[in-house]
């Protein structure tokens, strides 16, 4: 599907402009598919991301700061996301034995089970990239990494 056809655009100002629009359009296209899938499980993309990070840390606990540092979508309000996950019993939290100001957070068994249940649908979304070869995916990753490296935040 060509960007011109999808956006009903005859011509872009430049390849620069087209690439910018293409990256934004593709991001939104992927996120729309993801939102629909996560919605079926009562999660947001950000909540799924937190559960994914916690699963990677398991059985160790993690801190709010670790989650903020590793989240794909940098949000200042991680506490609200954690509250919702805790209400659903998908995570466990307790005051740290070492520092009473810190919370130790860990994915619960229910959270692990939910991620396992979601795995086939997550794999289906990832399969969107199956039309690319391994070499093309490596090239796309390298180009996107280079783009971010060259742009000050």
């Amino acid at each position: 599907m060509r960007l011109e056809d999808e956006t009903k655009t005859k011509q872009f100002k430049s390849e620069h402009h087209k690439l910018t629009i293409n990256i934004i359009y593709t991001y939104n296209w992927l996120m729309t598919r993801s939102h629909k899938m996560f919605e079926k499980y009562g999660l947001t993309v950000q909540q799924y991301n937190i559960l994914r990070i916690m699963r990677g840390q398991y059985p160790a606990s993690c801190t709010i700061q670790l989650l903020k540092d590793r989240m794909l979508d940098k949000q200042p309000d991680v506490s609200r996301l954690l509250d919702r996950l805790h209400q659903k019993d998908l995570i466990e939290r307790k005051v740290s034995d070492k520092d009473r100001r810190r919370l130790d957070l860990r994915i619960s068994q229910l959270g692990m089970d939910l991620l396992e249940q979601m795995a086939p649908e997550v794999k289906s979304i990832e399969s969107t990239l199956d039309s690319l070869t391994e070499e093309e995916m490596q090239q796309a990753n390298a180009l996107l990494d280079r783009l971010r490296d060259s742009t000050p935040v």
Side-chain angles (χ1 to χ4, degrees):
M1 79 180 108
R2 287 175 9 114
L3 183 63
E4 290 85 350
D5 299 336
E6 292 297 316
T7 60
K8 311 287 189 261
T9 303
K10 290 182 182 171
Q11 187 174 356
F12 291 94
K13 295 179 206 172
S14 65
E15 285 300 312
H16 237 201
H17 181 241
K18 181 178 178 179
L19 180 58
T20 302
I21 299 300
N22 208 342
I23 290 170
I24 294 167
Y25 184 85
T26 304
Y27 166 79
N28 285 317
W29 178 76
L30 282 169
M31 292 310 290
T32 298
R33 293 186 70 200
S34 298
H35 284 291
K36 288 178 184 176
M37 189 268 297
F38 292 128
E39 200 172 68
K40 289 194 298 191
Y41 295 95
L43 291 179
T44 64
V45 174
Q46 294 84 4
Q47 289 170 336
Y48 172 78
N49 190 15
I50 287 174
L51 291 175
R52 183 191 60 78
I53 294 165
M54 288 182 160
R55 178 181 57 192
Q57 291 294 117
Y58 190 83
S61 60
C62 53
T63 63
I64 291 175
Q65 190 58 51
L66 180 136
L67 294 171
K68 283 182 179 181
D69 291 344
R70 293 192 179 178
M71 285 185 71
L72 298 175
D73 184 6
K74 304 294 184 199
Q75 285 195 344
D77 200 6
V78 174
S79 296
R80 179 183 53 83
L81 295 170
L82 293 169
D83 287 343
R84 291 204 175 120
L85 290 170
H86 186 257
Q87 289 168 356
K88 296 175 185 187
D89 295 323
L90 298 174
I91 66 168
E92 301 164 351
R93 61 184 180 190
K94 70 174 195 134
V95 175
S96 171
D97 296 333
K98 297 174 185 168
D99 182 351
R100 293 178 44 93
R101 295 170 293 172
R102 191 179 92 185
L103 279 179
D104 286 334
L105 305 158
R106 183 175 300 137
I107 189 169
S108 68
Q109 186 58 52
L110 189 61
M112 292 286 252
D113 294 344
L114 179 61
L115 291 179
E116 186 66 31
Q117 182 184 354
M118 295 172 68
E121 290 185 75
V122 170
K123 179 75 174 139
S124 172
I125 289 173
E126 291 172 354
S127 72
T128 301
L129 302 175
D130 287 351
S131 63
L132 301 176
T133 67
E134 188 74 21
E135 185 179 322
E136 289 170 328
M137 287 185 262
Q138 290 171 354
Q139 185 179 22
N141 281 320
L143 289 169
L144 291 169
D145 288 346
R146 194 168 102 202
L147 178 67
R148 285 189 315 278
D149 284 344
S150 69
T151 309
V153 179

